Amino acid sequence: MSQPIPVAPTPVASHHDHPARAAGSLPADDFKALFRGHPGGVAVITADSGSGPVALTATSVSSVSAEPPLLVFSVSAISSAAPAVLAADTVVVHLLDADDIDVARIGSTSGIDRFADGDRWSRLVTGEPVYHGVRAWVRCAVINRMDAGGSTVIAAHALQSSIARDVDPGDHGNALVYHNRTWHRLGDHSRLD
């Protein structure tokens, strides 16, 4: 098994370094309005830190580097899965397409057992829970955590992956995005070039 690559945290600038922030923050509703019009890809993060499997849906997953293979995502403190994900040494990031909308909904629905259907998921040999049949998943070692407001940003090193439905360069690949509080499928109708 490869060893996680240590990543030093980036120093956080003080408010003295940012004159605009010294005068006050952008109101939360204004900030939400900015991102309501900014679509995000949809992923489900699973983990088991020893107290059972958890899952949450996230639109914050981004690739950071191919060499080494690093990604980041954020976990809101209000998510019921947050304590387990934050305590886990490894996670599985499921990168979804529109065929996986049911998995996206499971991860985003509060108050349900996200692993009640034993036919839908299993454990990798390393112990992490993984949903079956999704477009792709990647098992990652958590290498850094950073508090950011009411969330925690997690940096993770990709260790193992599986792609069930690959996407050819330039193809929309039946992509699933979340935009303005609604699920959307990308297709030829949404292509601009």
Side-chain angles (χ1 to χ4, degrees):
M1 178 185 298
S2 60
Q3 294 296 316
I5 296 168
V7 175
T10 303
V12 178
S14 73
H15 72 278
H16 302 292
D17 297 331
H18 301 284
R21 283 202 331 191
S25 292
L26 187 67
D29 287 343
D30 291 355
F31 192 71
K32 289 177 185 178
L34 285 171
F35 281 89
R36 193 168 37 247
H38 185 74
V42 181
V44 166
I45 316 294
T46 58
D48 190 342
S49 59
S51 57
V54 297
L56 61 90
T57 298
T59 57
S60 59
V61 176
S62 293
S63 65
V64 175
S65 168
E67 292 183 21
L70 302 175
L71 60 85
V72 294
F73 61 91
S74 65
V75 178
S76 170
I78 63 173
S79 169
S80 61
V85 172
L86 296 178
D89 292 329
T90 57
V91 296
V92 175
V93 178
H94 302 73
L95 301 171
L96 308 182
D97 65 15
D99 291 335
D100 304 317
I101 185 67
D102 55 336
V103 176
R105 287 183 175 134
I106 287 170
S108 65
T109 303
S110 299
I112 65 167
D113 179 353
R114 295 173 175 135
F115 296 91
D117 183 351
D119 293 334
R120 182 177 290 280
W121 70 282
S122 61
R123 291 188 183 272
L124 298 174
V125 295
T126 47
E128 300 87 355
V130 63
Y131 284 107
H132 301 159
V134 297
R135 186 190 76 77
W137 58 259
V138 56
R139 182 174 73 89
C140 302
V142 174
I143 58 171
N144 207 341
R145 296 171 181 85
M146 180 185 80
D147 290 336
S151 296
T152 301
V153 177
I154 295 176
H157 176 214
L159 304 174
Q160 173 189 4
S161 68
S162 174
I163 300 174
R165 293 182 297 278
D166 201 358
V167 180
D168 292 328
D171 188 11
H172 57 77
N174 203 26
L176 176 64
V177 296
Y178 191 72
H179 177 257
N180 197 14
R181 301 180 183 177
T182 307
W183 309 106
H184 294 269
R185 174 195 321 255
L186 296 184
D188 287 331
H189 67 283
S190 59
R191 187 178 196 137
L192 296 178
D193 59 353

